[in-house]
């Protein structure tokens, strides 16, 4: 049986457009015959290398105001709720480590969707252990051992390596989709293009 | 006869995504029953107010590399050529003034498309008078009197006022589409959404 083409889905849990992408990517990938790899990483260190001390949506208020309105419209199109978490951006370190820890059990997609729904659907704080415990219990995961594993050196090192790989590959925002042949697509708006490319389609006349 | 809804199309001549939007907007607006107002302005002063001394695509190299690849793909999808002008961004002051001067003759759309095609289709310099003269002659416009009018105080003041209006309205990039009820859509990717909104459509469930 031939292997299905792979698309890497790089996302930061604090990213609003990653929320939109995470909630809709799986059926689209299935329809395109593309296998997803869920790649949580941290945008913070990459933003810091640009000299940014916060999200550009906070640093540039007109851009931030627009983003919240745009995400509200796009969420409504998708039938998703949108609640603005406070503070924004949320600290995504713990949930990123948990997603890495849950990846080998195949639970990263369900965990990711649950974290995004809690954060941007309900406005809950994703760095609070009460919120995290609720999510893990709903996934039928043992909370104590999962949290312990996520705080271990192996997972910490893995997340650092993932974030470093993102930077090395030229990722500067989230979500970013990377095909096996290295084609990059940035933003929820490019999800369909990324899946089509992964499945072998090319724009006519592209050099 | 009822008036058609209006959509303001704000663009900077140096902007790659404004190129993509300008080349495809007219038939889409016609199909949506929407009347366009072509609103050239200068992004430079707005970028300067963010502390940026050049295009963010130059200031952030990973973002710039991505942009050129993305625009190449999107141009190929639209059947448009893409040649990178040198330098980028081009100085868009003279052509912005000319577009203002030509607006009352109804020639802004045709002039705008010709400038974008010369710049990003063929890689020509849009601040050179030889290029500008070619474009104006192709539009059957008298070169000397048009250039003279574009360098007059009235047009200069008009362009400053337009750019100030863009900033006041919260515009931070180009292209930006603004509906009569003040809804903002940023980027070539949002053109269809902007036209639908102008025509009265709303996402279900949007507050």
């Amino acid at each position: 049986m031939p292997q299905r083409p792979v698309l890497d889905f790089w996302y930061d849990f604090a990213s609003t457009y990653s929320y939109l992408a995470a909630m809709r990517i799986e059926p689209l990938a299935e329809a395109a015959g593309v296998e997803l790899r869920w790649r949580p990483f941290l945008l913070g260190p990459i933003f810091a290398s640009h000299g940014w001390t916060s999200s550009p949506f906070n640093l540039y208020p007109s851009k931030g105001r627009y983003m919240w309105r745009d995400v509200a419209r796009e969420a409504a199109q998708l039938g998703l709720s949108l609640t603005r978490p406070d503070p924004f951006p949320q600290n995504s370190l713990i949930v990123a480590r948990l997603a890495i820890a849950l990846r080998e059990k195949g639970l990263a997609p369900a965990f990711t969707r649950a974290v995004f729904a809690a954060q941007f659907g309900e406005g809950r704080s994703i760095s609070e252990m009460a919120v995290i415990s609720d999510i893990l219990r709903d996934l039928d995961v043992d909370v104590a051992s999962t949290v312990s594993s996520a705080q271990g050196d192996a997972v910490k090192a893995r997340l650092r390596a993932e974030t470093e790989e993102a930077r090395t590959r030229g990722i500067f925002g989230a979500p970013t989709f990377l095909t096996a042949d290295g084609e990059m697509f940035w933003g929820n708006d490019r999800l369909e293009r990324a899946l089509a490319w992964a499945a072998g389609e090319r724009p006519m006349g592209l050099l």
Side-chain angles (χ1 to χ4, degrees), chain A residues 7 11 21 24 45 49 64 68 71 95 99 104 115 124-125 129 135-136 149 151 156 172 175 192 195:
Chain A
L7 184 67
Y11 59 97
R24 71 193 191 95
S49 73
W68 286 109
V71 171
V95 286
E104 61 194 35
V115 170
R124 302 183 76 188
S125 170
M129 203 44 74
I135 291 169
L136 292 175
S149 154
Q151 289 171 344
K156 287 181 179 177
F172 56 89
E192 285 82 357
L195 288 167

Side-chain angles (χ1 to χ4, degrees), chain A residues 83-145:
Chain A
T83 306
R84 189 168 166 163
D86 181 25
F88 174 83
Q90 294 271 298
N91 187 328
S92 55
L93 176 63
I94 297 173
V95 286
R97 286 179 180 161
L98 281 162
I100 300 274
L102 290 166
R103 203 155 54 172
E104 61 194 35
K105 293 179 181 165
L107 290 174
F111 175 75
T112 297
R113 282 188 294 268
V115 170
F116 276 126
Q119 179 187 198
F120 292 117
E122 303 169 40
R124 302 183 76 188
S125 170
I126 59 168
S127 57
E128 277 176 24
M129 203 44 74
V131 175
I132 289 168
S133 298
D134 283 354
I135 291 169
L136 292 175
R137 267 191 299 267
D138 282 348
L139 293 172
D140 282 326
V141 165
D142 181 71
V143 175
S145 68

Side-chain angles (χ1 to χ4, degrees), chain A residues 143-166:
Chain A
V143 175
S145 68
T146 304
V147 169
S148 166
S149 154
Q151 289 171 344
D153 287 343
V155 167
K156 287 181 179 177
R158 184 74 239 152
L159 179 59
R160 276 196 300 272
E162 295 282 290
T163 297
E164 184 52 30
E165 180 180 338

Side-chain angles (χ1 to χ4, degrees), chain A residues 19-20 70-82:
Chain A
Y19 165 51
L20 300 180
D70 187 56
V71 171
R73 288 188 310 237
E74 295 298 308
Q77 287 274 4
L78 298 168
L80 295 171
S81 318
L82 182 70

